[in-house]
């Protein structure tokens, strides 16, 4: 098996964005003078998107009222998008290895382009991602394979030469649908009791350091 490229999901795999999602939801709850969901509740929901996170605080709102809250939540999140967010500890050395060996890497996320670009502007990686495919880059998004194929094309490699890393079953389905090898980031935002949903991956990574070790040992 030859792996020539690494593609990351963004939230919960490359970057730990959970604290800023929780912080934004806390501020929104303060505005409405209601109790905020716990950090762990938010963390286990981040990979489902902004609407799901907002719904934690407002489970019974009607659709029109809820949409206003969702938009407000995302606006607050954007204003505080990199306040606490960090690269997952242990991944830096892996990214350095990719840079030193000129191995292409990229990001495929369902996060909207506006938020993704705003977030990534706060980070200086050892080498920039060769591709960043967002949830609105194409007419379809993960688990559809087209975003994955676009990422592989922009990295100059065949899909079957890519390893796609993600923390949600949707990520693994996208990689499988595109003919890529897949790795489950068990340190991400999937609750431990739901790990069985990630067992379809080719590789399981319990810590970010495990990903770095895999990159160093299996890619050149």
């Amino acid at each position: 098996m030859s792996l020539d490229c690494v593609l990351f999901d963004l939230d919960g795999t490359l970057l730990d964005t959970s604290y800023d999602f929780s912080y934004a939801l806390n501020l929104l709850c303060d505005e409405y003078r209601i109790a905020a969901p716990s950090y762990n509740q938010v963390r286990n929901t981040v990979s489902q998107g902004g609407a799901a996170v907002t719904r934690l605080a407002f489970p019974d709102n009607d659709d029109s009222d809820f949409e206003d809250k969702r938009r407000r939540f995302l606006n607050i999140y954007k204003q505080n998008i990199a306040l606490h967010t960090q690269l997952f500890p242990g991944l830096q050395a892996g990214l350095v290895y990719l840079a030193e060996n000129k191995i292409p890497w990229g990001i495929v996320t369902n996060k909207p382009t506006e938020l993704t670009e705003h977030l990534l502007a706060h980070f200086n990686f050892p080498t920039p991602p060769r591709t960043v495919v967002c949830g609105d880059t194409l007419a379809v998004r993960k688990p559809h394979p087209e975003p994955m194929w676009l990422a592989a094309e922009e990295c100059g490699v065949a899909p079957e030469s890519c390893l796609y890393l993600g923390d949600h079953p949707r990520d693994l389905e996208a990689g499988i649908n595109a003919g890529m090898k897949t790795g489950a980031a068990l340190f991400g935002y999937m609750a431990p009791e739901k790990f069985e949903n990630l067992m379809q991956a080719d590789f399981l990574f319990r810590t970010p350091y495990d990903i770095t070790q895999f990159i160093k040992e299996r890619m050149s």
Side-chain angles (χ1 to χ4, degrees):
M1 178 184 62
S2 175
L3 292 173
D4 303 319
C5 175
V6 182
L7 299 173
F8 293 86
D9 174 46
L10 187 56
D11 300 79
T13 304
L14 183 66
L15 298 180
D16 186 358
T17 57
S18 60
Y19 294 100
D20 285 326
F21 272 100
S22 183
Y23 181 69
L25 190 61
N26 283 345
L27 293 180
L28 180 65
C29 289
D30 286 346
E31 290 184 3
Y32 283 89
R33 299 182 180 181
I34 62 172
S38 71
Y39 164 73
N40 283 335
Q41 286 179 286
V42 175
R43 191 181 196 281
N44 292 338
T45 308
V46 168
S47 290
Q48 300 174 41
V53 174
T54 308
R55 185 68 70 182
L56 290 174
F58 305 97
D60 301 319
N61 276 201
D62 64 74
D63 290 345
S64 60
D65 191 40
F66 176 77
E67 179 61 16
D68 291 339
K69 293 178 173 65
R70 184 192 71 85
R71 291 180 181 275
R72 177 59 182 154
F73 166 70
L74 291 179
N75 185 50
I76 295 172
Y77 171 65
K78 183 179 179 181
Q79 293 171 3
N80 300 277
I81 201 165
L83 193 61
H84 308 96
T85 292
Q86 296 181 355
L87 182 73
F88 273 103
L91 285 182
Q92 178 70 13
L95 294 178
V96 168
Y97 182 88
L98 295 176
E100 291 176 345
N101 291 274
K102 297 180 172 56
I103 299 170
W105 73 280
I107 296 167
V108 184
T109 176
N110 277 355
K111 205 182 193 80
T113 298
E114 180 183 11
L115 293 177
T116 300
E117 291 181 346
H118 190 55
L119 176 58
L120 293 180
H122 290 83
F123 290 86
N124 291 314
F125 300 109
T127 188
R130 188 79 61 86
T131 182
V132 178
V133 180
C134 302
D136 52 1
T137 300
L138 300 171
V140 293
R141 59 181 190 165
K142 297 181 298 182
H144 199 283
E146 282 191 26
M148 317 301 293
W149 290 332
L150 176 61
E153 179 183 354
E154 292 185 345
C155 286
V157 299
E160 56 268 24
S161 297
C162 295
L163 171 66
Y164 185 58
L165 302 165
D167 69 313
H168 192 277
R170 171 189 58 242
D171 301 323
L172 306 181
E173 292 170 16
I176 292 169
N177 291 340
M180 297 179 177
K181 293 296 181 182
T182 59
L186 300 182
F187 54 86
Y189 300 151
M190 181 62 62
E193 62 269 19
K194 297 183 179 180
F195 275 179
E196 68 271 12
N197 296 325
L198 301 177
M199 294 300 111
Q200 60 183 312
D202 295 296
F203 308 102
L204 303 177
F205 300 104
R206 296 198 172 275
T207 72
Y209 177 77
D210 294 335
I211 292 177
T212 288
Q213 287 301 105
F214 181 94
I215 289 172
K216 290 181 176 179
E217 293 170 4
R218 302 289 291 272
M219 306 187 72
S220 60

